[in-house]
Amino acid sequence: MSLIIGTKLGRYEIRAKIGEGGMGEVYRARDTKLNRDVAVKVLPPAFSADADRLRRFEQEAQAASALNHSNILAVFDFGEHDGAPYVVAELLEGETLRERMFAGALPSRTAAGYACQIAAGLSAAHLRGIVHRDLKPENIFLTQQGGLKILDFGLAKLIAPPTGSEAQTDIPTRQVNTGAGATVGTVGYMSPEQVRAERVDHRSDIFSFGVVLYEMLAGKSAFRSGSAIETLNAILKDDPAELSVLNPNVPPGLERVVRRCLEKKPERRFQSASDLAFALEELSGTTRSAPALATVPDRKFKREHLAWLLAGVFFVAMSVLALWYFRQSPADPKMTSFLVYPPDRSTFNSYDLPYPVAVAPDGRQLAMVVNEAGRTRIWIRRLESLDATPLENTDGAQNPFWSPDGRFIAFFAGGKLKKIAATGGVPVVICEAPSVGNSGTWSGSDVILFTQNIGAEGIQRVSAAGGQVSQVTRPDAAQQEIYHFWPEFLPDGHHFIFFAGAKKREDSNLYIGSLDSDQKQLLTAATSRAIYSPPGFLLYLREGALLAQPFDLQTLRLTGEPAMIADHVGNFSSTGNSYFSVSRNGEVLAFQVPGRPSRLVWLNRNGAETGSIGEPNSYSIPRLSPDGQKLAVNVIDRKDGTTDIWICDLSRNSFARFTFESGMENGSAWSPDGRRIAYSHDISGPPSLFEKTVGGAEGQPLIPSQEGPQLPLDWSPDGQFLLYRDYSAKTKSDLYILPMVGERKPIPFANTPFNETNARFSPDGRWIAYSSSESGKTEVYARRFPGDGERFQISTAGGNHPRWRSDGRELFYLSSDPDQTMMSVLVSAGETFTSGTPTALFKIENRNGLDFDAAGDGQRFILNTRAGAPSAPLTVITGWAANLKR
């Protein structure tokens, strides 16, 4: 039923009905709080009674609200009125691309201009892990101001099959049964993989884009036949008519772009919308040069130009730009950027403490930390080359840094600080360095400063040739400092910058230290490490923005105002980490956006994928509710790198945000009744324990963190105790029990010099399974609770992440081999404990398993995997310093 004019939906007052369709009615409304006109799409109550339709409507709202780009319809709000959900979006004036094309083909220049804007919008969405699935002229809006907006992200899963027969140009998004399965899309604009009901990714949108661009240039559909079935067959088997025959005015280069978009096999198309946008820009004669850099308060630069800064060149275009950079005149201050993707079937290793890239001092090479199916190594990529090569003998490497002459790369692996020739060879051990939170820097006089144990022991010094290790700095307890981290030498080789993390994040600072003195000089308050770059800038992060601020090497002080180089740069503010690197000559900068896209999938006991949850996103730590009906999972905001917890209703595959506070909310431990969740939050210092009622208001603190990050692991079956991990410099990662009734005084459970973590109560609460490094490698153990410390080793060849079956008779864990095998072991956990021989269920292999949880019956597993998720590239920028100086 239509809404009456004047009806109020919260703060939105209905003014007029402006449209309707298969998914509801659209109204012009007034936002009485912000005094602006908006569009409100309302799903009819009869439709909202359909749980599947309601889920899809919510999906559209959530997908669209996650996007913020000038070529994508902005979604402001989502609510419900009289049982009918609604979405509030910006109000557009203009016409759809379909309406513009009623008169026939568009001029080539006009079509190319629209295509550039569509590609830019798709690129922004794909970087967020969101695929449109229903790109067509009806979903592209041309504003009266000359702009273009992509509408209805997620709508391909929303509209029900139509009834009756329509002209093909009017056939809406519909479900198409294809025998092997079912998919959704608009007949005539679907990709071949959609027609076959196969899994689709961002390249499906690129095929649909090609169909739209073909129609703009030809004035007719690329694949339209007499019926829907014939059209689908044409998509699978036929090539459209030559554009040059239908429209001789189409430039050959533009026709080649269309042809590549319409390749039947996804791997033959453009591999990203960024590549597509670049190809279109080259045809239209636009440049990749960046405008003058804005100062921090100028948010307009961030909104309007950042997407182009992040868009870059992949494949041949990268080589062209790199070669141009090395041959250009020093007087040419153009700033260019391009993307570097990880090798096939791999990802860049970056989350929490590791960072993914170190730029060589001369700016001609990148040392990249790459994860291949659980195997982490350093790969070397020369900027003028299209290929990267692995640096052998660097397995397990983290946080590499270069020697000043570029001949060697130092890295941390296996509890040691090592160095290896950049050309390859056998690594040399410099000194012991337990691999928990390492960072390092190398001076021109061959002095190395490094940290270990998350900097809790301060900064240490060693010769690059090896030898005695000495202390340089120690955290000042009187200043509430808990670690010194991320040392970076200044050009004189004696002074260095370092990050001093405090219990309260806002009290953290950057300092200048010296090899000749134990005194430190306050530089500035900060939440990020900093790197000096010629010709005189200090680079650091603030709220996800990479800033460059003038720095005087004589006075060792910051001067002038900071300028923004890039936005949405990866960081982990709890430790001051940030995912960027700059060459010592200041010519080349490389960084990664926050988060690493992954997928949540269901696997059976044979390892076969039986379903997926939600869309690809930056997930971590999935945790099933006790009844198995919901899933709590961390989601990283790829704008600023902060983490929130979301809850998925598995019956509807619908996500809702659980935490809303600023900072990092992390981990999930469900109460036995499923009504509360314990999690960690860094709002008042190192991440500490909080709890919150599902559907409630703000979370409440449980106990403060002392030295390092706390993480909740499990709740006892009777609800009396919370099992959590804490950290200290002396005993590293430990397990504690927090009583949830009475006096909340933590009880040590496993408190040794080794790392204990990833613990779970048995279903009857008598035993705790956990992982420990006490034997020299991580193994799974079971220990009585409460008890006298009696424990039993369960895994025999390395293991982690133990999970109980709901009847307590079987344990699952991940092996420590590179392929991360899912292991099963039968146990008897009553008054006494016995276990059988572990058996392998399946290898995760190239799925790059991050974390998992087991269903109560032990027949299904939720795996967080990067397999099938879009790769998160590095962005490389050249010429930024000259542009900034100008």
Side-chain angles (χ1 to χ4, degrees):
M1 181 177 68
S2 297
L3 296 178
I4 300 174
I5 305 304
T7 299
K8 288 190 175 181
L9 282 62
R11 74 191 207 206
Y12 308 104
E13 182 179 326
I14 300 299
R15 296 290 178 86
K17 183 176 179 180
I18 57 177
E20 60 182 308
M23 276 304 293
E25 300 171 332
V26 182
Y27 296 86
R28 177 190 291 268
R30 186 69 176 176
D31 183 338
T32 57
K33 183 176 181 179
L34 298 180
N35 293 320
R36 63 180 177 183
D37 286 338
V38 296
V40 176
K41 177 191 282 189
V42 181
L43 184 67
F47 286 5
S48 64
D50 183 332
D52 184 61
R53 188 180 293 265
L54 180 60
R55 173 182 63 80
R56 290 170 177 171
F57 186 86
E58 291 174 349
Q59 178 187 343
E60 177 192 0
Q62 292 166 357
S65 64
L67 301 172
N68 180 17
H69 190 271
S70 58
N71 295 122
I72 297 174
L73 178 73
V75 172
F76 303 137
D77 202 356
F78 174 71
E80 187 174 306
H81 175 75
D82 290 343
Y86 62 85
V87 172
V88 181
E90 63 178 318
L91 183 66
L92 301 178
E93 302 288 348
E95 61 182 346
T96 66
L97 179 59
R98 170 66 66 204
E99 292 169 323
R100 177 68 59 89
M101 294 194 303
F102 279 156
L106 303 180
S108 296
R109 181 178 293 274
T110 301
Y114 291 158
C116 284
Q117 296 187 64
I118 298 170
L122 289 177
S123 177
H126 293 170
L127 284 174
R128 300 277 298 181
I130 297 174
V131 182
H132 193 289
R133 292 187 180 84
D134 194 30
L135 194 67
K136 58 184 177 181
E138 289 81 359
N139 283 339
I140 298 168
F141 196 90
L142 309 175
T143 69
Q144 291 181 348
Q145 294 74 31
L148 179 147
K149 300 277 186 178
I150 304 175
L151 313 180
D152 293 335
F153 268 88
L155 193 60
K157 289 188 175 181
L158 304 182
I159 298 180
T163 57
S165 59
E166 299 92 355
Q168 190 163 354
T169 55
D170 300 324
I171 294 178
T173 304
R174 60 184 299 175
Q175 188 176 63
V176 180
N177 293 312
T178 60
T183 189
V184 282
T186 297
V187 176
Y189 298 92
M190 297 166 66
S191 65
E193 52 267 35
Q194 282 180 293
V195 174
R196 297 190 185 98
E198 299 172 344
R199 180 175 296 279
V200 302
D201 58 20
H202 57 285
R203 294 172 296 184
S204 179
D205 281 350
I206 291 175
F207 185 92
S208 301
F209 170 93
V211 178
V212 172
L213 181 53
Y214 182 99
E215 191 168 348
M216 282 194 283
L217 296 168
K220 59 179 293 186
S221 176
F223 298 106
R224 185 180 306 163
S225 297
S227 67
I229 296 299
E230 291 174 325
T231 299
L232 296 177
N233 286 332
I235 291 173
L236 292 175
K237 301 176 182 179
D238 300 337
D239 291 326
E242 296 289 337
L243 271 173
S244 56
V245 175
L246 300 175
N247 184 350
N249 295 321
V250 175
L254 191 56
E255 183 171 11
R256 286 194 296 271
V257 168
V258 174
R259 286 291 178 190
R260 188 171 177 189
C261 291
L262 295 180
E263 288 284 353
K264 305 296 185 186
K265 295 183 177 181
E267 59 269 21
R268 294 183 178 178
R269 300 173 203 151
F270 289 97
Q271 293 300 289
S272 74
S274 302
D275 304 341
L276 174 58
F278 177 81
L280 290 166
E281 292 165 23
E282 290 295 292
L283 289 173
S284 60
T286 57
T287 178
R288 302 295 292 172
S289 299
L293 297 172
T295 57
V296 175
D298 188 357
R299 310 308 292 181
K300 183 177 181 181
F301 169 84
K302 293 173 65 177
R303 294 193 305 269
E304 297 182 1
H305 298 287
L306 176 62
W308 299 107
L309 182 65
L310 294 178
V313 186
F314 179 63
F315 202 60
V316 177
M318 287 192 298
S319 179
V320 172
L321 282 178
L323 289 172
W324 171 87
Y325 159 65
F326 287 114
R327 295 174 181 173
Q328 69 172 330
S329 164
D332 189 350
K334 286 186 179 180
M335 177 170 129
T336 65
S337 68
F338 56 91
L339 301 182
V340 173
Y341 284 84
D344 290 342
R345 303 168 71 89
S346 67
T347 61
F348 290 125
N349 195 44
S350 60
Y351 178 68
D352 193 356
L353 297 178
Y355 51 85
V357 62
V359 182
D362 62 4
R364 293 179 178 269
Q365 298 182 89
L366 305 177
M368 309 178 299
V369 183
V370 174
N371 185 297
E372 313 159 89
R375 183 186 186 188
T376 299
R377 290 185 294 175
I378 295 173
W379 287 59
I380 301 297
R381 159 70 189 269
R382 297 190 64 85
L383 259 65
E384 68 267 26
S385 171
L386 294 176
D387 300 316
T389 56
L391 195 57
E392 298 298 339
N393 303 312
T394 59
D395 285 48
Q398 290 187 0
N399 298 352
F401 54 99
W402 291 80
S403 63
D405 59 10
R407 295 174 56 213
F408 294 93
I409 299 172
F411 62 95
F412 301 90
K416 303 179 188 300
L417 171 59
K418 304 178 181 181
K419 67 178 180 181
I420 188 172
T423 55
V426 178
V428 175
V429 174
I430 298 174
C431 66
E432 297 292 320
S435 298
V436 180
N438 302 119
S439 61
T441 183
W442 193 328
S443 77
S445 57
D446 275 345
V447 172
I448 289 179
L449 298 180
F450 70 99
T451 63
Q452 57 189 7
N453 293 330
I454 317 183
E457 300 172 15
I459 297 172
Q460 297 175 305
R461 169 180 176 169
V462 68
S463 168
Q468 184 177 356
V469 175
S470 60
Q471 198 75 30
V472 178
T473 73
R474 293 185 185 275
D476 187 347
Q479 298 295 322
Q480 301 293 299
E481 294 177 356
I482 55 177
Y483 54 78
H484 286 175
F485 219 170
W486 313 116
E488 289 287 345
F489 272 115
L490 292 174
D492 64 10
H494 292 282
H495 292 92
F496 58 92
I497 305 167
F498 67 95
F499 179 75
K503 286 188 175 181
K504 292 186 177 180
R505 187 174 54 191
E506 60 269 24
D507 294 336
S508 299
N509 296 299
L510 287 172
Y511 285 94
I512 301 290
S514 172
L515 297 179
D516 307 321
S517 170
D518 58 1
Q519 299 298 309
K520 60 183 182 181
Q521 173 184 321
L522 177 63
L523 187 59
T524 184
T527 57
S528 158
R529 68 188 180 100
I531 302 177
Y532 173 81
S533 176
F537 296 104
L538 203 65
L539 274 59
Y540 59 93
L541 259 65
R542 182 180 297 163
E543 296 180 355
L546 180 57
L547 309 178
Q549 187 167 356
F551 180 78
D552 189 331
L553 285 174
Q554 300 301 315
T555 63
L556 302 180
R557 296 188 180 278
L558 292 165
T559 61
E561 293 295 324
M564 188 178 71
I565 302 174
D567 202 357
H568 304 170
V569 176
N571 68 98
F572 190 77
S573 59
S574 295
T575 63
N577 193 10
S578 46
Y579 308 153
F580 76 93
S581 177
V582 64
S583 61
R584 292 207 177 196
N585 61 13
E587 295 294 337
V588 177
L589 171 70
F591 63 87
Q592 188 180 42
V593 299
R596 295 176 293 177
S598 60
R599 296 168 53 236
L600 296 171
V601 298
W602 283 107
L603 305 178
N604 62 20
R605 288 179 71 100
N606 296 321
E609 187 173 323
T610 61
S612 61
I613 301 171
E615 300 295 330
N617 210 329
S618 297
Y619 298 113
S620 63
I621 314 183
R623 294 293 178 262
L624 284 165
S625 61
D627 62 5
Q629 300 301 306
K630 293 182 174 62
L631 180 76
V633 64
N634 298 345
V635 179
I636 299 175
D637 188 325
R638 301 193 71 192
K639 290 183 179 180
D640 58 15
T642 60
T643 302
D644 284 293
I645 298 170
W646 290 66
I647 296 178
C648 178
D649 183 337
L650 296 175
S651 65
R652 298 166 56 193
N653 200 18
S654 174
F655 280 84
R657 188 169 172 175
F658 175 68
T659 59
F660 295 86
E661 295 88 352
S662 61
M664 311 285 289
E665 290 93 11
N666 197 16
S668 305
W670 292 84
S671 64
D673 59 9
R675 295 180 179 179
R676 293 177 291 166
I677 291 179
Y679 60 98
S680 66
H681 188 18
D682 67 348
I683 191 171
S684 58
S688 58
L689 298 179
F690 279 66
E691 74 165 322
K692 178 182 175 182
T693 302
V694 176
E698 294 183 357
Q700 300 299 317
L702 292 174
I703 55 171
S705 176
Q706 298 303 313
E707 291 186 48
Q710 297 174 342
L711 185 71
L713 300 174
D714 199 13
W715 216 306
S716 63
D718 59 7
Q720 300 288 307
F721 303 100
L722 181 67
L723 177 60
Y724 70 97
R725 184 203 72 192
D726 207 340
Y727 180 88
S728 71
K730 184 177 181 180
T731 58
K732 304 184 178 65
S733 179
D734 299 312
L735 298 177
Y736 288 85
I737 304 292
L738 180 67
M740 298 302 289
V741 294
E743 184 181 3
R744 289 182 174 174
K745 185 177 180 180
I747 304 169
F749 177 77
N751 188 265
T752 74
F754 308 105
N755 287 310
E756 295 95 7
T757 187
N758 296 323
R760 287 289 183 101
F761 281 103
S762 63
D764 62 4
R766 295 182 179 185
W767 296 85
I768 292 176
Y770 65 99
S771 62
S772 172
S773 63
E774 63 185 79
S775 69
K777 62 180 177 180
T778 302
E779 299 280 8
V780 175
Y781 297 83
R783 180 175 164 184
R784 187 186 303 277
F785 173 77
D788 57 4
E790 181 183 15
R791 70 187 189 283
F792 300 88
Q793 183 173 332
I794 297 171
S795 61
T796 57
N800 209 338
H801 300 287
R803 301 286 184 267
W804 297 85
R805 199 170 71 189
S806 60
D807 61 4
R809 296 181 179 180
E810 187 177 19
L811 266 170
F812 307 100
Y813 64 89
L814 291 181
S815 69
S816 299
D817 59 84
D819 284 342
Q820 288 189 299
T821 303
M822 184 71 71
M823 304 295 294
S824 163
V825 57
L826 296 178
V827 299
S828 175
E831 290 295 334
T832 60
F833 186 92
T834 59
S835 63
T837 301
T839 60
L841 295 182
F842 56 86
K843 287 185 178 293
I844 295 175
E845 294 179 341
N846 293 320
R847 289 195 178 97
N848 287 329
L850 306 179
D851 199 3
F852 83 100
D853 208 356
D857 61 5
Q859 300 302 305
R860 295 195 304 164
F861 306 91
I862 284 180
L863 181 73
N864 182 31
T865 175
R866 297 192 194 101
S871 299
L874 299 172
T875 298
V876 178
I877 303 178
T878 65
W880 66 272
N883 203 24
L884 186 64
K885 185 178 179 181
R886 182 180 63 172

